[in-house]
Coordinates of all heavy atoms in Angstrom, one line a residue:
M26 N 115.1 23.8 20.9 CA 114.0 24.2 20.2 C 114.1 23.7 18.8 O 115.0 24.0 18.0 CB 113.6 25.6 20.3 CG 112.1 25.9 20.6 SD 111.9 27.7 20.9 CE 112.1 27.7 22.6
L27 N 113.1 23.0 18.3 CA 113.1 22.4 16.9 C 112.6 23.3 15.9 O 113.2 23.7 14.8 CB 112.5 21.1 16.9 CG 113.1 20.0 17.8 CD1 112.2 18.8 17.5 CD2 114.5 19.7 17.2
E28 N 111.4 23.8 16.2 CA 110.6 24.6 15.2 C 110.0 25.7 15.8 O 109.4 25.5 16.9 CB 109.7 23.7 14.4 CG 110.3 23.1 13.2 CD 109.2 22.2 12.6 OE1 108.1 22.8 12.1 OE2 109.4 21.0 12.4
V29 N 109.9 26.8 15.2 CA 109.1 28.0 15.7 C 108.1 28.4 14.6 O 108.4 28.5 13.5 CB 109.9 29.1 16.1 CG1 109.2 30.3 16.8 CG2 111.0 28.6 17.1
S30 N 106.9 28.6 15.1 CA 106.0 29.0 14.2 C 105.3 30.3 14.7 O 104.4 30.4 15.5 CB 104.8 28.1 14.1 OG 103.6 28.6 13.4
P31 N 106.0 31.4 14.4 CA 105.6 32.8 15.0 C 104.2 33.2 14.7 O 103.6 33.8 15.5 CB 106.6 33.8 14.3 CG 107.6 33.0 13.7 CD 107.1 31.7 13.3
K32 N 103.7 32.7 13.6 CA 102.3 33.2 13.3 C 101.4 32.7 14.3 O 100.5 33.4 14.7 CB 102.0 32.6 11.8 CG 102.0 33.6 10.7 CD 101.4 33.0 9.5 CE 101.7 33.8 8.2 NZ 101.4 33.2 7.1
E33 N 101.6 31.3 14.6 CA 100.7 30.8 15.6 C 101.1 30.9 17.0 O 100.4 30.5 18.0 CB 100.5 29.3 15.2 CG 99.8 29.0 13.9 CD 99.9 27.5 13.6 OE1 101.0 27.1 13.0 OE2 99.1 26.8 14.0
G34 N 102.3 31.5 17.1 CA 102.9 31.6 18.5 C 103.2 30.1 19.0 O 103.0 29.9 20.2
K35 N 103.5 29.2 18.3 CA 103.7 27.8 18.7 C 105.1 27.4 18.4 O 105.8 28.0 17.5 CB 102.8 26.9 18.0 CG 101.5 26.9 18.6 CD 100.6 25.9 17.8 CE 99.1 25.8 18.5 NZ 98.4 24.8 17.8
V36 N 105.6 26.6 19.3 CA 107.0 26.0 19.1 C 106.8 24.4 19.3 O 106.0 24.0 19.8 CB 107.9 26.5 20.1 CG1 108.2 28.0 19.9 CG2 107.5 26.3 21.6
I37 N 107.8 23.9 18.5 CA 107.8 22.4 18.8 C 109.2 22.2 19.5 O 110.4 22.6 19.0 CB 107.8 21.7 17.5 CG1 106.5 21.9 16.7 CG2 108.1 20.2 17.7 CD1 106.5 21.3 15.4
V38 N 109.1 21.5 20.6 CA 110.3 21.3 21.5 C 110.6 19.9 21.5 O 109.7 19.1 21.7 CB 110.1 22.0 22.9 CG1 111.4 21.9 23.7 CG2 109.6 23.4 22.8
Q39 N 111.9 19.6 21.4 CA 112.2 18.2 21.4 C 111.9 17.6 22.7 O 112.3 18.1 23.8 CB 113.7 18.1 21.1 CG 114.1 16.7 20.7 CD 115.6 16.7 20.1 OE1 116.4 17.6 20.4 NE2 115.8 15.9 19.1
G40 N 111.2 16.5 22.7 CA 111.0 15.7 24.0 C 109.9 16.3 24.8 O 109.6 15.7 25.8
V41 N 109.3 17.3 24.3 CA 108.1 17.9 25.1 C 107.0 17.8 24.3 O 106.8 17.9 23.1 CB 108.5 19.4 25.4 CG1 107.4 20.2 26.2 CG2 109.7 19.4 26.2
N42 N 105.8 17.6 25.0 CA 104.6 17.6 24.3 C 104.4 16.4 23.3 O 103.9 16.7 22.2 CB 104.2 18.9 23.7 CG 102.7 19.3 23.9 OD1 102.0 18.8 24.8 ND2 102.2 19.9 22.8
I43 N 104.9 15.3 23.6 CA 104.8 14.2 22.8 C 103.5 13.6 22.8 O 102.9 13.3 23.9 CB 105.8 13.0 23.1 CG1 107.2 13.6 23.3 CG2 105.7 11.9 22.3 CD1 108.0 13.5 22.0
V44 N 102.9 13.5 21.6 CA 101.6 12.8 21.6 C 101.7 11.5 20.8 O 102.6 11.4 19.9 CB 100.6 13.8 20.8 CG1 100.2 14.9 21.7 CG2 101.0 14.2 19.5
S45 N 101.0 10.6 21.1 CA 101.0 9.3 20.4 C 99.9 9.3 19.4 O 98.6 9.6 19.7 CB 100.7 8.2 21.3 OG 101.7 8.2 22.4
R46 N 100.1 9.1 18.1 CA 99.2 8.9 17.1 C 99.0 7.5 16.9 O 100.0 6.8 16.6 CB 99.8 9.6 15.8 CG 99.8 11.1 15.9 CD 98.6 11.9 15.3 NE 98.6 13.1 16.0 CZ 99.3 14.3 15.5 NH1 100.1 14.1 14.6 NH2 99.1 15.4 16.1
H47 N 97.8 7.0 17.0 CA 97.4 5.7 16.7 C 97.1 5.5 15.2 O 96.2 6.1 14.7 CB 96.2 5.2 17.7 CG 96.6 5.3 19.0 ND1 96.8 4.2 19.7 CD2 96.8 6.3 19.9 CE1 97.2 4.4 21.0 NE2 97.1 5.8 21.1
L48 N 97.9 4.7 14.5 CA 97.7 4.7 13.1 C 97.1 3.3 12.8 O 97.5 2.3 13.3 CB 99.2 4.8 12.4 CG 99.8 6.2 12.5 CD1 101.1 6.1 11.7 CD2 99.0 7.2 11.9
R49 N 96.3 3.4 11.8 CA 95.6 2.2 11.3 C 96.4 1.9 10.1 O 96.7 2.8 9.3 CB 94.1 2.5 11.0 CG 93.2 2.2 12.2 CD 91.9 2.8 11.8 NE 91.1 3.1 13.0 CZ 90.2 2.2 13.4 NH1 90.0 1.1 12.7 NH2 89.5 2.4 14.4
P50 N 96.5 0.6 9.8 CA 97.0 0.3 8.5 C 96.0 0.7 7.4 O 94.8 0.4 7.4 CB 97.2 -1.2 8.5 CG 96.4 -1.7 9.8 CD 96.1 -0.5 10.7
R51 N 96.4 1.5 6.4 CA 95.7 2.0 5.4 C 95.4 1.0 4.2 O 94.4 0.8 3.6 CB 96.1 3.3 4.9 CG 95.8 4.5 5.7 CD 96.3 5.7 5.1 NE 96.9 6.6 6.3 CZ 97.7 7.5 6.1 NH1 98.1 7.8 4.8 NH2 98.2 8.2 7.1
R52 N 96.5 0.4 4.0 CA 96.5 -0.7 3.0 C 96.8 -2.0 3.5 O 97.4 -2.1 4.6 CB 97.5 -0.4 1.8 CG 97.1 0.5 0.8 CD 98.2 0.9 -0.2 NE 98.4 2.3 0.0 CZ 99.7 2.8 -0.1 NH1 100.7 2.0 -0.5 NH2 100.0 4.0 0.0
Q53 N 96.5 -3.0 2.9 CA 96.8 -4.3 3.2 C 98.3 -4.5 3.3 O 98.9 -4.1 2.4 CB 96.2 -5.4 2.4 CG 95.3 -6.3 3.1 CD 94.6 -7.3 2.2 OE1 94.7 -7.2 1.0 NE2 93.7 -8.2 2.9
G54 N 98.8 -5.2 4.4 CA 100.2 -5.4 4.4 C 101.0 -4.2 5.1 O 102.2 -4.3 5.5
E55 N 100.3 -3.1 5.4 CA 100.9 -1.9 6.0 C 100.7 -2.2 7.5 O 99.6 -2.5 7.9 CB 100.2 -0.6 5.5 CG 101.2 0.5 5.5 CD 100.5 1.8 4.9 OE1 99.3 1.9 5.1 OE2 101.1 2.6 4.2
A56 N 101.7 -1.8 8.1 CA 101.7 -2.0 9.6 C 101.0 -0.8 10.2 O 101.2 0.4 10.0 CB 103.0 -2.3 10.1
G57 N 100.2 -1.0 11.2 CA 99.6 0.1 12.0 C 100.5 0.1 13.2 O 101.3 -0.6 13.3
G58 N 100.1 1.0 14.1 CA 100.9 1.1 15.3 C 100.7 2.5 15.8 O 99.9 3.3 15.5
I59 N 101.6 2.7 16.8 CA 101.5 4.0 17.6 C 102.8 4.7 17.2 O 103.9 4.3 17.3 CB 101.4 3.7 19.0 CG1 100.1 3.0 19.5 CG2 101.4 5.1 19.8 CD1 100.1 2.5 20.8
V60 N 102.6 5.9 16.7 CA 103.8 6.8 16.4 C 103.9 8.1 17.3 O 102.8 8.6 17.6 CB 103.6 7.3 14.9 CG1 104.8 8.3 14.6 CG2 103.7 6.1 13.9
K61 N 105.0 8.2 17.8 CA 105.1 9.4 18.7 C 105.5 10.7 17.9 O 106.4 10.6 17.1 CB 106.2 9.1 19.7 CG 106.0 7.8 20.6 CD 105.8 8.1 21.9 CE 105.5 6.9 22.7 NZ 104.8 6.9 23.9
V62 N 104.7 11.7 18.1 CA 105.0 12.9 17.3 C 105.1 14.0 18.3 O 104.6 14.1 19.3 CB 103.7 13.1 16.4 CG1 103.9 14.4 15.5 CG2 103.3 11.9 15.6
E63 N 106.0 14.8 17.9 CA 106.1 16.0 18.7 C 105.1 17.1 18.3 O 105.2 17.6 17.2 CB 107.6 16.6 18.7 CG 108.6 15.9 19.7 CD 110.0 15.8 19.2 OE1 110.3 16.4 18.2 OE2 110.8 15.4 20.0
A64 N 104.3 17.3 19.2 CA 103.3 18.3 18.9 C 103.6 19.8 19.3 O 104.2 20.0 20.2 CB 102.0 17.9 19.6
P65 N 103.1 20.7 18.3 CA 103.3 22.1 18.6 C 102.7 22.5 19.9 O 101.6 22.0 20.2 CB 102.9 22.7 17.3 CG 101.8 21.8 16.9 CD 102.3 20.4 17.1
M66 N 103.2 23.4 20.6 CA 102.6 23.9 21.8 C 102.8 25.4 21.7 O 103.7 25.9 21.2 CB 103.1 23.2 23.0 CG 104.6 23.5 23.2 SD 105.4 22.5 24.5 CE 104.5 23.0 25.9
Y67 N 102.1 26.0 22.6 CA 102.2 27.5 22.6 C 103.4 27.9 23.2 O 103.8 27.4 24.3 CB 100.9 28.1 23.2 CG 99.7 28.0 22.4 CD1 98.7 27.2 22.6 CD2 99.6 28.9 21.2 CE1 97.6 27.1 21.7 CE2 98.5 29.0 20.5 CZ 97.6 27.9 20.6 OH 96.5 28.0 19.8
A68 N 104.1 28.9 22.7 CA 105.4 29.4 23.1 C 105.2 29.9 24.6 O 106.2 29.6 25.4 CB 105.9 30.5 22.3
C69 N 104.2 30.4 25.0 CA 104.0 30.8 26.4 C 103.9 29.8 27.3 O 104.1 30.0 28.6 CB 102.8 31.8 26.4 SG 101.2 31.0 26.0
K70 N 103.7 28.6 26.9 CA 103.6 27.5 27.8 C 104.9 26.8 28.0 O 105.1 25.9 28.8 CB 102.6 26.5 27.4 CG 101.2 27.0 27.6 CD 100.2 25.9 27.5 CE 98.8 26.2 27.8 NZ 97.7 25.4 27.4
V71 N 105.8 27.1 27.2 CA 107.1 26.5 27.2 C 107.9 26.9 28.4 O 108.0 28.1 28.8 CB 108.0 26.8 26.0 CG1 109.5 26.1 26.1 CG2 107.3 26.3 24.8
M72 N 108.3 26.0 29.2 CA 109.1 26.3 30.4 C 110.5 26.6 30.1 O 111.1 26.2 29.2 CB 109.0 25.1 31.5 CG 107.6 25.0 32.1 SD 107.7 23.9 33.3 CE 106.6 24.7 34.6
L73 N 111.0 27.6 30.9 CA 112.3 28.0 30.7 C 113.2 27.2 31.6 O 112.7 26.8 32.7 CB 112.4 29.4 31.1 CG 111.8 30.4 30.0 CD1 111.4 31.7 30.7 CD2 112.8 30.7 28.9
Y74 N 114.3 26.9 31.1 CA 115.2 26.0 31.9 C 116.0 26.9 33.0 O 116.7 27.8 32.5 CB 116.1 25.2 31.0 CG 116.9 24.2 31.7 CD1 116.4 22.9 32.0 CD2 118.2 24.4 32.1 CE1 117.1 22.1 32.5 CE2 119.0 23.5 32.8 CZ 118.3 22.3 32.9 OH 119.1 21.4 33.6
C75 N 116.0 26.4 34.2 CA 116.7 27.1 35.2 C 118.0 26.3 35.5 O 117.7 25.1 35.9 CB 115.9 27.4 36.4 SG 116.9 28.1 37.7
S76 N 119.1 26.8 35.4 CA 120.3 26.0 35.7 C 120.6 25.8 37.1 O 121.3 24.9 37.6 CB 121.6 26.6 34.9 OG 121.7 28.0 35.3
K77 N 120.0 26.7 37.9 CA 120.1 26.6 39.3 C 119.3 25.5 39.8 O 119.7 24.6 40.6 CB 119.8 27.9 40.1 CG 121.0 28.7 40.5 CD 120.6 29.8 41.4 CE 121.7 30.7 41.7 NZ 121.1 31.8 42.5
C78 N 118.0 25.6 39.4 CA 117.0 24.5 39.8 C 117.2 23.3 39.1 O 116.8 22.2 39.5 CB 115.6 25.0 39.6 SG 115.2 26.4 40.6
N79 N 118.0 23.3 37.9 CA 118.2 22.1 37.2 C 117.0 21.5 36.5 O 116.9 20.3 36.3 CB 119.0 21.0 38.0 CG 120.1 20.4 37.2 OD1 120.5 21.0 36.1 ND2 120.4 19.2 37.5
K80 N 116.0 22.4 36.2 CA 114.9 21.9 35.5 C 114.1 23.1 34.9 O 114.5 24.2 35.2 CB 113.9 21.1 36.5 CG 113.4 21.9 37.7 CD 112.6 21.1 38.6 CE 112.3 21.8 39.9 NZ 111.6 20.9 40.8
G81 N 113.0 22.8 34.3 CA 112.2 23.8 33.7 C 111.4 24.5 34.8 O 110.8 23.8 35.7
V82 N 111.3 25.7 34.7 CA 110.6 26.4 35.7 C 109.7 27.5 35.1 O 109.9 27.9 34.0 CB 111.6 27.2 36.8 CG1 112.4 26.1 37.5 CG2 112.6 28.0 36.0
R83 N 108.9 28.0 35.9 CA 108.0 29.2 35.5 C 108.9 30.4 35.6 O 109.6 30.6 36.6 CB 106.8 29.2 36.2 CG 105.9 28.0 36.0 CD 104.6 28.2 37.0 NE 103.7 29.1 36.6 CZ 102.7 28.7 35.7 NH1 102.5 27.5 35.4 NH2 101.9 29.6 35.4
A84 N 108.6 31.3 34.7 CA 109.3 32.5 34.8 C 108.5 33.6 35.2 O 107.3 33.6 34.9 CB 110.0 32.9 33.4
K85 N 109.0 34.6 35.9 CA 108.2 35.7 36.3 C 109.1 37.0 36.0 O 110.3 36.9 35.7 CB 107.9 35.7 37.7 CG 109.0 35.8 38.8 CD 108.6 35.7 40.1 CE 109.8 35.9 41.1 NZ 109.4 36.0 42.5
A86 N 108.5 38.1 35.9 CA 109.1 39.4 35.5 C 109.9 39.8 36.8 O 109.5 39.7 38.0 CB 108.1 40.4 35.1
G87 N 111.1 40.3 36.5 CA 111.9 40.9 37.6 C 112.7 41.9 37.1 O 112.7 42.3 35.9
T88 N 113.6 42.5 37.9 CA 114.6 43.4 37.5 C 115.9 43.1 38.1 O 116.1 42.5 39.1 CB 114.2 44.8 38.0 OG1 113.9 44.8 39.5 CG2 112.9 45.4 37.4
N89 N 116.8 43.4 37.3 CA 118.3 43.1 37.8 C 118.8 44.3 38.5 O 118.1 45.3 38.8 CB 119.2 42.8 36.6 CG 119.3 43.8 35.6 OD1 119.0 44.9 35.9 ND2 119.9 43.6 34.4
S90 N 120.1 44.3 38.9 CA 120.7 45.3 39.7 C 120.7 46.6 39.0 O 120.8 47.6 39.7 CB 122.1 44.9 40.0 OG 122.9 44.5 38.9
K91 N 120.7 46.6 37.6 CA 120.6 47.9 36.9 C 119.2 48.4 36.7 O 119.0 49.4 36.1 CB 121.2 47.7 35.4 CG 122.7 47.5 35.5 CD 123.2 47.3 34.1 CE 124.5 46.3 34.2 NZ 124.8 45.9 32.8
G92 N 118.2 47.7 37.3 CA 116.8 48.1 37.1 C 116.2 47.7 35.8 O 115.2 48.2 35.5
E93 N 117.0 46.9 35.0 CA 116.4 46.5 33.8 C 115.4 45.3 34.0 O 115.6 44.5 34.9 CB 117.5 46.1 32.9 CG 118.4 47.1 32.4 CD 119.8 46.7 31.8 OE1 120.1 45.5 32.1 OE2 120.3 47.3 31.1
K94 N 114.4 45.3 33.1 CA 113.5 44.2 33.2 C 114.0 42.9 32.7 O 114.6 42.8 31.6 CB 112.2 44.4 32.4 CG 111.2 45.5 33.3 CD 110.0 45.6 32.6 CE 109.2 46.6 33.4 NZ 107.9 47.0 32.8
I95 N 114.0 41.9 33.5 CA 114.5 40.6 33.1 C 113.4 39.5 33.5 O 112.5 39.8 34.2 CB 115.8 40.2 33.8 CG1 115.6 40.4 35.3 CG2 116.9 41.1 33.3 CD1 116.7 39.7 36.1
R96 N 113.8 38.2 33.0 CA 112.9 37.2 33.5 C 113.7 36.4 34.6 O 114.9 36.0 34.3 CB 112.6 36.2 32.3 CG 111.7 36.9 31.3 CD 111.3 35.9 30.3 NE 112.4 35.4 29.4 CZ 112.4 34.9 28.2 NH1 111.3 34.6 27.8 NH2 113.5 34.5 27.6
V97 N 113.1 36.1 35.5 CA 113.7 35.4 36.6 C 112.9 34.1 36.9 O 111.7 33.9 36.6 CB 113.8 36.3 37.8 CG1 114.8 37.4 37.7 CG2 112.5 36.7 38.5
C98 N 113.7 33.2 37.5 CA 113.1 31.9 37.9 C 112.0 32.2 39.0 O 112.4 32.8 40.0 CB 114.2 31.0 38.3 SG 113.6 29.5 39.1
A99 N 110.8 31.7 38.9 CA 109.9 31.8 40.0 C 110.2 31.1 41.2 O 109.7 31.4 42.3 CB 108.4 31.3 39.4
K100 N 111.1 30.2 41.1 CA 111.5 29.3 42.3 C 112.6 30.0 43.1 O 112.5 30.2 44.3 CB 111.7 28.0 42.0 CG 110.5 27.2 41.5 CD 110.7 25.6 41.9 CE 109.4 24.9 41.8 NZ 109.4 23.7 41.2
C101 N 113.7 30.2 42.3 CA 114.9 30.6 43.1 C 115.4 32.1 42.8 O 116.1 32.5 43.4 CB 116.1 29.6 42.8 SG 116.7 29.8 41.1
G102 N 114.7 32.8 41.8 CA 114.9 34.0 41.5 C 116.1 34.2 40.6 O 116.4 35.5 40.4
A103 N 116.7 33.2 40.2 CA 117.9 33.4 39.2 C 117.4 33.9 37.9 O 116.3 33.7 37.5 CB 118.6 32.1 39.1
E104 N 118.3 34.8 37.4 CA 118.0 35.4 36.1 C 118.0 34.3 35.0 O 118.9 33.3 34.9 CB 119.1 36.4 35.7 CG 118.7 37.1 34.4 CD 119.7 38.3 34.1 OE1 120.3 38.7 35.1 OE2 119.7 38.7 33.0
L105 N 117.1 34.3 34.1 CA 117.0 33.3 33.2 C 117.5 33.8 31.7 O 117.3 35.0 31.5 CB 115.5 32.8 33.0 CG 114.9 32.1 34.1 CD1 113.5 31.9 34.0 CD2 115.5 30.8 34.3
Ligands
ZN2 ZN1 115.6 28.4 39.7

């Protein structure tokens, strides 16, 4: 995770939610082009990484063997 903005509930994650900004040359001689920017996204939308599934997965609420609330992988049920 690169940046967190708790006020807005947004995070910026490396390599996720890349948007292309099309830039126009503002001055003569300046190059326009497309710049890739990492856009902020809502933290709740960030996928958790499951090492079992080897990819980002949706998390759901679950309980562990002690009855504590944990987040588990929605696919394989592994604790996240
Ligand atoms: Zn999983």
Side-chain angles (χ1 to χ4, degrees):
M26 226 172 265
L27 293 179
E28 268 179 61
V29 186
S30 165
K32 257 190 197 169
E33 295 173 274
K35 282 183 177 178
V36 293
I37 297 174
V38 185
Q39 197 162 30
V41 179
N42 213 31
I43 304 271
V44 292
S45 298
R46 294 259 157 84
H47 297 254
L48 294 182
R49 271 163 201 267
R51 276 179 225 162
R52 271 174 249 148
Q53 231 172 6
E55 209 177 39
I59 301 167
V60 175
K61 304 239 179 206
V62 186
E63 274 157 357
M66 62 192 295
Y67 285 102
C69 57
K70 284 193 176 171
V71 176
M72 285 193 140
L73 288 152
Y74 188 83
C75 175
S76 49
K77 258 193 188 175
C78 297
N79 217 24
K80 60 182 174 183
V82 292
R83 292 173 80 94
K85 61 175 185 181
T88 49
N89 64 11
S90 52
K91 291 177 200 162
E93 293 165 338
K94 280 189 180 169
I95 52 163
R96 288 188 299 197
V97 296
C98 170
K100 282 206 168 145
C101 70
E104 187 176 341
L105 293 172

